[in-house]
Amino acid sequence: MLNRVVLIGRLTKDPELRYTPNGVPVTSFTLAVDRTYKNSKGERETDFIPCVVFRQLAELCSTYLAKGRMAAIDGRIQVRSFDGQDGQRRWITEVLGDNVRFLSPKNEDFSASQNMPVPGDENVPFMDEISLDDDVPF
């Protein structure tokens, strides 16, 4: 069986660095990924993909990525559920990243990206520790 995904897009907001109860760094961010085709109005549609990375990679992403920056993520798709504040079961699909490439130059100004659409904020709890390799791919 194979569960692999590679995405390239722009961050919709600055990454969020948190820590699991065991002290493992976890960074989450959302990539805006344009679809390759246009809709009936001639506009490109965009998918907003939640991404999560752990350990040293989480710390690097938190430090070097920011809203509007272009990044590539290589990982796997995970679907998980949690109980919302209203007691209803919620499902979330996200990419668990093994590798992240920073594709924007360090000195690029992203003030023009301030109008980038951001998906609705959800109160999604972070996952507990998960076993991923500690090696950083770059």
Side-chain angles (χ1 to χ4, degrees):
M1 292 182 251
L2 181 64
N3 178 358
R4 207 77 198 147
V5 62
V6 177
L7 300 171
I8 297 176
R10 291 196 182 273
L11 273 72
T12 61
K13 61 182 179 179
D14 290 342
E16 296 179 28
L17 175 65
R18 297 191 182 167
Y19 294 86
T20 67
N22 296 333
V24 176
V26 181
T27 295
S28 64
F29 54 90
T30 300
L31 279 183
V33 180
D34 288 336
R35 294 184 182 174
T36 57
Y37 58 89
K38 295 181 181 180
N39 64 19
S40 59
K41 297 178 183 177
E43 303 166 340
R44 286 203 190 271
E45 294 182 4
T46 302
D47 293 304
F48 299 95
I49 314 293
C51 302
V52 180
V53 293
F54 290 85
R55 296 183 178 77
Q56 187 178 7
L57 184 56
E59 292 172 333
L60 289 169
C61 287
S62 173
T63 301
Y64 295 107
L65 289 177
K67 178 179 178 176
R69 290 199 181 253
M70 176 120 6
I73 187 166
D74 172 20
R76 64 183 174 88
I77 294 176
Q78 173 176 282
V79 179
R80 62 184 174 94
S81 65
F82 64 95
D83 293 326
Q85 293 177 350
D86 59 359
Q88 294 290 318
R89 172 103 356 192
R90 305 259 195 265
W91 295 88
I92 184 167
T93 302
E94 58 198 358
V95 173
L96 239 52
D98 295 326
N99 301 305
V100 175
R101 300 281 185 217
F102 309 136
L103 302 177
S104 293
K106 288 182 187 178
N107 57 357
E108 188 173 345
D109 178 19
F110 291 97
S111 57
S113 66
Q114 297 303 314
N115 295 328
M116 179 180 296
V118 176
D121 289 334
E122 300 176 30
N123 292 323
V124 178
F126 279 85
M127 301 176 327
D128 288 336
E129 182 177 354
I130 185 169
S131 62
L132 294 175
D133 294 332
D134 285 330
D135 297 333
V136 177
F138 44 86

PDB file of all heavy atoms in Angstrom, residues 15 72 107 131:
ATOM      1  N   PRO A  15       3.171  29.899  10.473  1.00  0.00           N
ATOM      2  CA  PRO A  15       3.038  28.589  11.104  1.00  0.00           C
ATOM      3  C   PRO A  15       2.885  28.725  12.619  1.00  0.00           C
ATOM      4  O   PRO A  15       3.345  29.698  13.218  1.00  0.00           O
ATOM      5  CB  PRO A  15       4.352  27.879  10.774  1.00  0.00           C
ATOM      6  CG  PRO A  15       5.143  28.787   9.937  1.00  0.00           C
ATOM      7  CD  PRO A  15       4.463  30.101   9.856  1.00  0.00           C
ATOM      8  N   ALA A  72       7.223  23.484  -0.375  1.00  0.00           N
ATOM      9  CA  ALA A  72       6.833  22.161  -0.872  1.00  0.00           C
ATOM     10  C   ALA A  72       6.865  21.216   0.309  1.00  0.00           C
ATOM     11  O   ALA A  72       7.780  21.273   1.138  1.00  0.00           O
ATOM     12  CB  ALA A  72       7.792  21.687  -1.954  1.00  0.00           C
ATOM     13  N   ASN A 107      15.043  36.974   1.187  1.00  0.00           N
ATOM     14  CA  ASN A 107      14.863  38.424   1.189  1.00  0.00           C
ATOM     15  C   ASN A 107      13.616  38.885   0.435  1.00  0.00           C
ATOM     16  O   ASN A 107      13.425  40.071   0.254  1.00  0.00           O
ATOM     17  CB  ASN A 107      16.101  39.115   0.609  1.00  0.00           C
ATOM     18  CG  ASN A 107      16.400  38.631  -0.795  1.00  0.00           C
ATOM     19  OD1 ASN A 107      15.732  37.749  -1.311  1.00  0.00           O
ATOM     20  ND2 ASN A 107      17.427  39.194  -1.407  1.00  0.00           N
ATOM     21  N   SER A 131       5.426   8.727  15.884  1.00  0.00           N
ATOM     22  CA  SER A 131       6.803   8.360  15.585  1.00  0.00           C
ATOM     23  C   SER A 131       7.132   8.648  14.128  1.00  0.00           C
ATOM     24  O   SER A 131       6.601   8.047  13.227  1.00  0.00           O
ATOM     25  CB  SER A 131       7.039   6.887  15.888  1.00  0.00           C
ATOM     26  OG  SER A 131       6.209   6.094  15.084  1.00  0.00           O
TER      27      SER A 131
END
